Amino acid sequence: MTLSAIDWAIMLVYLVFVLGIGVVVKRHTRSSEDFFLAGRALPAWVCGLAFISANLGAQEVIGMAASGAKYGIATSHFYWVGAIPAMVFVGVFMMPFYYGSRARSVPEYLRLRFDEKTRALNAVSFAVMTVFSSGVSMYAMAKLLQTLKLLDSPLAALGLPAAWAFHLSILASACIVLAYTFLGGLTSAIYNEVLQFFLIVAGFLPLVLLGLADVGGWSGLKARLPDGFAHSWQGMGSASTNPMGVEWFGMVMGLGFVLSFGYWCTDFLVVQRAMAAHSISAARRTPLIAALPKMVFPFLVILPGLLAVALPAPSAPPTLQAGDSASARVQSGIVPPKLDESGRPVVDKNGKVQLDYDLAIPQMLLHYLPPGLLGLGLTALLASFMSGMAGNVTAFNTVWTYDIYQSYIRPQASDEHYLWMGRMATVFGIGLSVLAAYVATRFNNIMDMLQLVFAFVNAPVFATFLLGMFWKRATGHGAFTGLVAGTLAAALHHGLTLPSGAEAGVKGGWLGMLESYPSEMAQNFWTAILAWSVCFAVTIVVSLITAPRAESELVGLVYSLTQRPAEDDLPWFERPAPLGGIVLALTLMLNVVFW
Amino acid sequence: MGLDIRLPIGLMFGVLGAMLVAYGLVADPAIYQRSLGLNVNLGWGLALLAFGGAMFHFGRRAGKAPTT
């Protein structure tokens, strides 16, 4: 694909603004609190938009469209079940403790509430995870640019081989993110996330509108979709009657409760955005404000995937010479088949052609957008990659500096020293991410395995926070043992089960074979449910046999011992509870409409 | 907090909108075959220009108001 001058010019304008914001914000970054917590001075709407943007990385934009093309509207469960309720919960119930305790990070809250070892466990696993996720984000972006051959013509103009596209994308994205987070820290990252939020809307909305006009509106789209793609809940009664291969209970408990609350309520990457707000009520409003656009995001990121499969395939669908039967064919639309290294379509063991769903969004951009808007769409895509990375980097440098460096390596240093350390952490955090991106290219399995380990570590976490915030009897020993037990339970469950059709190994079953799940998603959800339950039970049992902390030490950290924040002076639309109610009612409506 | 984020957002979308409008006025209409024959550059450029202008306006107004 070759871009026109106007497309490059649009990208350039975006870059100038991204770096310009970093330079301007740097002048106001004087203390470590400015750098790591944006001086706790931002208005709620800014934090709210950054709250969803930080999560709107590559995996989200590319992945949700891919999932839309693969599973249909049911993908909206990741929003309407798997995000909104948790966002309301963290705003209404949990934010008073995060913000009110003056903890500077989520691991620091764990130290205040429980003890040093629980914090250390959370801080170290989180720091490792963020570095690898930003590496994966960088890798995905470089891979995509390579597949689209976006950089081939500029590289050719410079006399460089096309194979350099990969290195150039990694280097460029690393340098840009490094520049603006190094200069302005969290403020700069948050500002750029807000910019990116609007850019994503500006870049993708014309795509969705053109696509819908082309297929004849919503009813035209429904008529062209494969069976079951136009409903989110119909067919969820049993795993065999919906494209995702998971039944409603596993979906609601695994995705809607354990995984969603574990991410939105405890992941410092998002919670940090709310902690940057100027007041406790602004911090509580942050996730609620974020929930409003989050609710309609499926129309922006899932719909292009649906449109991509609904469109007529450009040429005859890829078929195979031998063993080609009706069941082997998948409705592909404009989604191209996955190609192996020799350029032949990849086929699964039933002879079905595997589609490269990750290309659904890029294909749609190319299909509908003329030069000009195409540049805007691609810039939006690049912006999403970079803000996903920057989100990880800012969360990493904070946890590294406050929870690891200041706590275990060099306590009692001056504030300037920690500010300097934060900037250094930004440099080596990004350096490690680049390393991780290259590890991913060489050893694909290592990345899969690491992500699996992270999933085991993350699955039980919400049980610890729930008990910590709402049960004053929970103890540090209880929390720590519960976390370890939950992680082990997750690993054990994964080792003993396998999704149907998969081979034992990284997909599960490496210890034996106890149970087979209809899909990988069902296996993941049940792994999470089990890990959460084990952590919950073990934390309670161990807490009851260990000594409780004095109640006076837990004021401001536990629900029953903390005064409710006063909100009588706020108009109703700035109070968390009514806002949360409205958000939930609207979400319920969307679920009913797309039933 | 120093910088009001609405100012750079307003400026950036203003510039991007103006670029799209200008390009939409001069570019060969044949490129709009992809976009169902519509001059989307012109239309969407105007929309972005309006959005950028509004953002910039509110950012400036807030900056001028006496700080409490």
Side-chain angles (χ1 to χ4, degrees):
Chain A
M1 174 180 54
T2 42
L3 293 180
S4 320
I6 178 86
D7 301 321
W8 291 111
I10 287 175
M11 257 178 238
L12 197 67
V13 168
Y14 169 69
L15 278 186
V16 168
F17 273 90
V18 165
L19 297 176
I21 286 177
V23 171
V24 175
V25 168
K26 171 160 196 296
R27 280 193 264 142
H28 303 281
T29 309
R30 296 191 192 92
S31 67
S32 72
E33 198 175 75
D34 288 342
F35 189 81
F36 295 119
L37 290 166
R40 292 195 199 258
L42 298 180
W45 72 270
V46 171
C47 296
L49 294 184
F51 193 89
I52 40 170
S53 260
N55 165 256
L56 202 63
Q59 286 86 340
E60 176 94 356
V61 174
I62 301 280
M64 284 297 138
S67 170
K70 208 169 167 184
Y71 305 122
I73 305 252
T75 305
S76 63
H77 289 316
F78 284 93
Y79 289 75
W80 300 335
V81 176
I84 307 282
M87 289 164 85
V88 171
F89 188 82
V90 70
V92 174
F93 293 105
M94 292 174 74
M95 207 47 78
F97 307 108
Y98 283 139
Y99 197 94
S101 67
R102 303 306 283 177
R104 297 167 302 177
S105 69
V106 165
E108 192 164 70
Y109 171 80
L110 285 179
R111 182 184 61 79
L112 295 172
R113 172 62 185 88
F114 292 119
D115 54 14
E116 201 58 72
K117 62 179 179 294
T118 311
R119 182 252 283 269
L121 180 67
N122 188 259
V124 172
S125 62
F126 182 80
V128 176
M129 246 180 297
T130 46
V131 163
F132 275 97
S133 333
S134 92
V136 168
S137 197
M138 224 185 294
Y139 168 74
M141 170 166 160
K143 203 81 199 153
L144 184 71
L145 292 185
Q146 204 178 23
T147 314
L148 294 178
K149 304 190 182 305
L150 203 65
L151 293 167
D152 285 11
S153 58
L155 279 173
L158 291 170
L160 293 168
W164 279 45
F166 188 84
H167 310 299
L168 187 67
S169 336
I170 297 239
L171 194 70
S173 55
C175 287
I176 295 163
V177 171
L178 176 65
Y180 72 80
T181 42
F182 182 87
L183 290 169
L186 185 63
T187 315
S188 181
I190 286 184
Y191 277 8
N192 276 311
E193 280 155 9
V194 176
L195 201 66
Q196 178 242 337
F197 169 83
F198 289 112
L199 201 57
I200 295 241
V201 177
F204 285 14
L205 193 56
L207 183 70
V208 172
L209 296 177
L210 283 171
L212 275 180
D214 195 20
V215 297
W218 177 247
S219 53
L221 174 64
K222 266 209 305 213
R224 292 179 187 218
L225 285 174
D227 287 342
F229 268 47
H231 292 282
S232 61
W233 284 94
Q234 237 174 51
M236 289 301 285
S238 140
S240 56
T241 52
N242 68 76
M244 296 211 294
V246 56
E247 82 300 344
W248 72 271
F249 184 81
M251 196 277 290
V252 172
M253 290 311 284
L255 173 68
F257 181 62
V258 177
L259 291 176
S260 157
F261 281 67
Y263 178 76
W264 293 101
C265 303
T266 74
D267 197 296
F268 184 52
L269 173 69
V270 287
V271 174
Q272 186 180 27
R273 268 79 200 147
M275 283 182 170
H278 61 61
S279 66
I280 190 163
S281 76
R284 295 179 72 191
R285 276 200 309 278
T286 294
L288 302 172
I289 291 171
L292 293 168
K294 184 82 184 170
M295 212 184 290
V296 291
F297 257 45
F299 300 106
L300 221 51
V301 295
I302 300 178
L303 213 48
L306 286 174
L307 288 163
V309 279
L311 290 172
S315 54
T319 48
L320 295 157
Q321 296 82 3
D324 182 25
S325 62
S327 68
R329 244 176 265 134
V330 202
Q331 183 178 341
S332 66
I334 59 168
V335 181
K338 218 177 234 169
L339 300 178
D340 62 12
E341 263 139 46
S342 56
R344 290 173 45 82
V346 180
V347 189
D348 75 359
K349 64 180 182 183
N350 299 324
K352 260 190 190 166
V353 172
Q354 300 288 293
L355 297 178
D356 200 344
Y357 289 106
D358 284 352
L359 289 178
I361 277 261
Q363 284 291 336
M364 283 291 285
L365 291 172
L366 293 176
H367 189 78
Y368 282 118
L369 301 184
L373 273 196
L374 180 61
L376 191 68
L378 286 172
T379 308
L381 202 56
L382 295 186
S384 87
F385 279 101
M386 284 196 279
S387 87
M389 254 179 82
N392 279 302
V393 169
T394 46
F396 168 81
N397 65 25
T398 309
V399 166
W400 163 263
T401 307
Y402 283 154
D403 291 298
I404 298 175
Y405 185 75
Q406 188 179 29
S407 305
Y408 306 117
I409 300 175
R410 199 165 158 200
Q412 315 290 337
S414 67
D415 192 63
E416 277 121 71
H417 179 77
Y418 293 126
L419 175 59
W420 172 83
M421 192 60 213
R423 291 213 158 103
M424 289 304 110
T426 310
V427 177
F428 68 72
I430 291 181
L432 286 172
S433 305
V434 172
L435 204 67
Y438 276 100
V439 168
T441 56
R442 296 289 297 278
F443 311 99
N444 242 319
N445 283 335
I446 292 193
M447 282 329 236
D448 286 349
M449 269 163 65
L450 273 172
Q451 283 183 329
L452 206 57
V453 173
F454 296 155
F456 298 159
V457 174
N458 277 340
V461 167
F462 184 63
T464 308
F465 281 84
L466 195 65
L467 288 170
M469 284 184 178
F470 300 96
W471 190 45
K472 61 185 179 191
R473 185 64 183 77
T475 67
H477 292 309
F480 185 81
T481 335
L483 278 176
V484 174
T487 302
L488 289 179
L492 207 60
H493 178 262
H494 185 265
L496 288 170
T497 60
L498 200 63
S500 74
E503 278 168 42
V506 81
K507 301 272 182 213
W510 35 273
L511 282 176
M513 186 62 188
L514 217 59
E515 166 100 33
S516 169
Y517 283 106
S519 68
E520 203 176 328
M521 216 184 273
Q523 183 198 26
N524 288 343
F525 292 168
W526 282 100
T527 302
I529 293 171
L530 185 80
W532 187 90
S533 313
V534 168
C535 176
F536 191 76
V538 170
T539 305
I540 291 178
V541 171
V542 176
S543 290
L544 288 174
I545 54 175
T546 46
R549 275 176 72 184
E551 289 194 2
S552 58
E553 293 175 11
L554 295 177
V555 174
L557 300 170
V558 180
Y559 191 77
S560 59
L561 302 173
T562 307
Q563 239 189 340
R564 308 287 167 275
E567 48 185 49
D568 295 336
D569 51 334
L570 293 173
W572 69 268
F573 56 85
E574 288 194 355
R575 286 186 210 163
L579 261 181
I582 293 172
V583 167
L584 287 180
L586 290 174
T587 311
L588 189 66
M589 255 168 54
L590 283 171
N591 274 301
V592 173
V593 170
F594 291 93
W595 186 270
Chain B
M1 135 189 89
L3 171 73
D4 190 316
I5 179 64
R6 282 170 292 190
L7 297 175
I9 291 176
L11 272 179
M12 188 180 90
F13 279 98
V15 171
L16 291 180
M19 284 166 69
L20 286 175
V21 168
Y23 189 72
L25 289 174
V26 299
D28 176 8
I31 59 169
Y32 301 117
Q33 246 175 8
R34 281 190 212 168
S35 55
L36 319 176
L38 300 168
N39 187 343
V40 280
N41 282 332
L42 183 64
W44 198 243
L46 285 172
L48 295 188
L49 203 55
F51 171 74
M55 272 299 201
F56 191 74
H57 170 74
F58 287 119
R60 270 237 319 226
R61 208 178 56 176
K64 277 181 186 164
T67 44
T68 46

